[in-house]
Amino acid sequence: VSATVTGASGLEPDRRATAAAFETFVARHGPDLRVALTARFGAEVGAEVMADVVALAWERWASVCAMENPAGYLFRAGQSAARRYRRRPVQLGVVPSQEPPEFDPRLPRILEQLPDRQRVAVVLVCVYDWTAPAAAAVLGISESAVRTHVRRGLAALRRELGARDK
Amino acid sequence: MTLETDLRNMRPALDRAIAGAATVERRPAAPRTIGAGSRRRAAVFAFAVAVCVAAFVGIVVRLDSSSRHGDGVPPLDTSGVTHPTASTTNEPTTTTSTEPLSTTSPQSAVPLSSVDWGSVSYPIAPRCGDVFHPPVTVGHVGYAAPAGGVHLAIVEVACTHGAGTPPVAVYVYDGASSTSTPHLAATLVAASDGWQANALRVDGSAVSLPVYGFSSASIPNCCPDVRTTLVWHWSGSRYELVSAVPPHVTRPAYGGY
């Protein structure tokens, strides 16, 4: 019997490759997912849910990495994970910092009060310039539904801003 | 400014909000109570309760056993044993016996194959996790006759612990005066070496043991990152370690002081 030494030290090659693939996944999909979760749940809860879904992705990495639309899966998983947090009004945490302001300072507050789907669609498409197909993939709805939510959301924003102007 | 322009201009402020929220420490456990209704947390809680109950039962059993022995702990037979040096550094440990084995079994009133290995008192580390003088679980037992007249039993044991994977110890016995008092001839692996293993193999004059360990104390218990196979060859009078021992650390919780 000859001496057999398998792997002197450090991570095993399989685990190293898995960790690298996961880091690549998070770097690629993490920012978009964080934006979508923030638009859906607000900045604070969105960050909490983001941490939860990243942990979930690692836990179920074998199946997540094989998905066609992992970001969409994790966004939906985030909606389940968010149930553990107390229900509270969505707060985007947006604070205008320049004078004159870059945008109507009333806008964040009105945006927070939109229905969830309209707010998410408006943030993704109008604030972050996502295409309707990209937003539809993450939100798990059709492209036409995204456009409808954006249209209705913008109409509600105009209506509310106009009403407050009067 | 149009509404669309306002929304687009809001992006830097929203980015700042996202970045700020991501760096804020996560909220404490208020929403993470069992009452909040997470099945996963409930399962973890149930597991923790089960571990506590098991640990309590283990302590009670141990105390009961100790009281029957009178002095608390049965005496350990360490005659003829050469313990590898315990290490808490990255230096490789020496897991080989240095004392030649007798070519005739010194205490052969009972054949080794009839020894009840579960009732033997092993010189394993005095501490296993938070349990001192823990009960021992016998893993694999292999018998070898590497030379004429030499009959050996190689026994892999580990302390019984409520959770986690304790390190193993591997002992070589060359005879037995009764079914519960074999003669310890050598220690191939001590618990203080910090190796996890469960697949001892005795093949003729060779003994091999795939082991797992930790390259540093910061490696989580779940995921040992050092793997190797320790191999000993019969040199005519003793088992000699012929494989390399990669650097690894021992866990003080398991006696690796």
Side-chain angles (χ1 to χ4, degrees):
Chain A
V1 179
S2 61
T4 55
V5 179
T6 57
S9 64
L11 290 174
E12 300 163 27
D14 288 351
R15 291 181 57 213
R16 263 205 303 267
T18 301
F22 181 73
E23 288 175 6
T24 304
F25 170 82
V26 172
R28 179 183 173 191
H29 295 284
D32 288 350
L33 197 54
R34 187 183 297 277
V35 167
L37 291 172
T38 299
R40 174 63 181 80
F41 301 109
E44 187 182 347
V45 175
E48 301 267 8
V49 175
M50 179 67 188
D52 287 344
V53 298
V54 169
L56 178 74
W58 175 246
E59 189 179 308
R60 302 180 183 176
W61 177 240
S63 56
V64 169
C65 70
M67 291 179 179
E68 286 187 11
N69 180 20
Y73 166 76
L74 292 178
F75 181 79
R76 291 190 291 279
Q79 298 190 71
S80 300
R83 290 177 190 147
R84 73 176 57 177
Y85 303 107
R86 287 172 296 181
R87 294 277 180 187
R88 49 185 157 173
V90 171
Q91 294 183 330
L92 295 174
V94 174
V95 179
S97 64
Q98 293 187 6
E99 191 66 35
E102 307 160 283
F103 50 85
D104 191 324
R106 300 169 298 173
L107 195 53
R109 182 68 179 155
I110 300 174
L111 195 56
E112 290 166 353
Q113 293 172 346
L114 285 181
D116 291 338
R117 289 194 167 189
Q118 291 182 18
R119 181 181 59 257
V120 175
V122 167
V123 168
L124 297 185
V125 174
C126 299
V127 178
Y128 281 89
D129 288 328
W130 286 26
T131 63
V138 170
L139 302 182
I141 57 180
S142 67
E143 296 176 28
S144 61
V146 170
R147 294 192 184 93
T148 300
H149 289 315
V150 169
R151 190 173 61 249
R152 290 177 180 171
L154 290 177
L157 288 174
R158 286 196 183 92
R159 190 168 54 247
E160 195 65 25
L161 287 169
R164 295 189 183 189
D165 282 341
K166 290 179 183 176
Chain B
M1 286 190 291
T2 66
L3 175 59
E4 286 78 2
T5 306
D6 268 359
L7 286 169
R8 206 163 288 124
N9 290 342
M10 206 173 75
R11 178 172 178 170
L14 190 50
D15 282 337
R16 287 194 296 272
I18 292 173
T23 56
V24 170
E25 186 178 352
R26 300 190 71 175
R27 284 185 289 111
R32 295 180 177 276
T33 61
I34 293 301
S38 165
R39 279 183 296 176
R40 191 187 312 171
R41 291 197 308 279
V44 170
F45 180 77
F47 177 74
V49 169
V51 168
C52 291
V53 170
F56 177 75
V57 170
I59 291 171
V60 170
V61 169
R62 183 64 196 170
L63 289 174
D64 183 51
S65 171
S66 299
S67 64
R68 282 201 299 270
H69 280 97
D71 59 353
V73 180
L76 301 180
D77 177 11
T78 56
S79 58
V81 179
T82 302
H83 285 282
T85 303
S87 172
T88 55
T89 69
N90 277 325
E91 293 301 318
T93 53
T94 303
T95 52
T96 180
S97 60
T98 55
E99 295 294 328
L101 300 183
S102 170
T103 53
T104 58
S105 300
Q107 303 167 19
S108 54
V110 174
L112 285 169
S113 58
S114 64
V115 170
D116 177 11
W117 297 107
S119 65
V120 173
S121 176
Y122 296 95
I124 201 165
R127 179 180 167 198
C128 180
D130 53 358
V131 179
F132 280 84
H133 303 295
V136 170
T137 299
V138 178
H140 295 75
V141 179
Y143 299 95
V150 178
H151 298 280
L152 303 174
I154 299 94
V155 185
E156 173 198 321
V157 300
C159 65
T160 303
H161 193 245
T165 307
V168 300
V170 177
Y171 302 112
V172 179
Y173 293 89
D174 59 358
S177 56
S178 72
T179 57
S180 62
T181 56
H183 178 253
L184 179 62
T187 300
L188 298 186
V189 177
S192 57
D193 288 339
W195 289 121
Q196 299 176 359
N198 61 0
L200 174 72
R201 179 171 178 157
V202 179
D203 184 12
S205 61
V207 176
S208 62
L209 182 70
V211 293
Y212 301 86
F214 302 88
S215 61
S216 74
S218 61
I219 302 297
N221 286 336
C222 66
C223 314
D225 61 339
V226 177
R227 183 177 66 181
T228 188
T229 299
L230 302 177
V231 179
W232 295 264
H233 270 184
W234 181 255
S235 65
S237 59
R238 65 190 175 202
Y239 279 113
E240 288 191 346
L241 183 68
V242 295
S243 61
V245 180
H248 67 289
V249 298
T250 59
R251 298 291 169 120
Y254 291 113
Y257 304 105

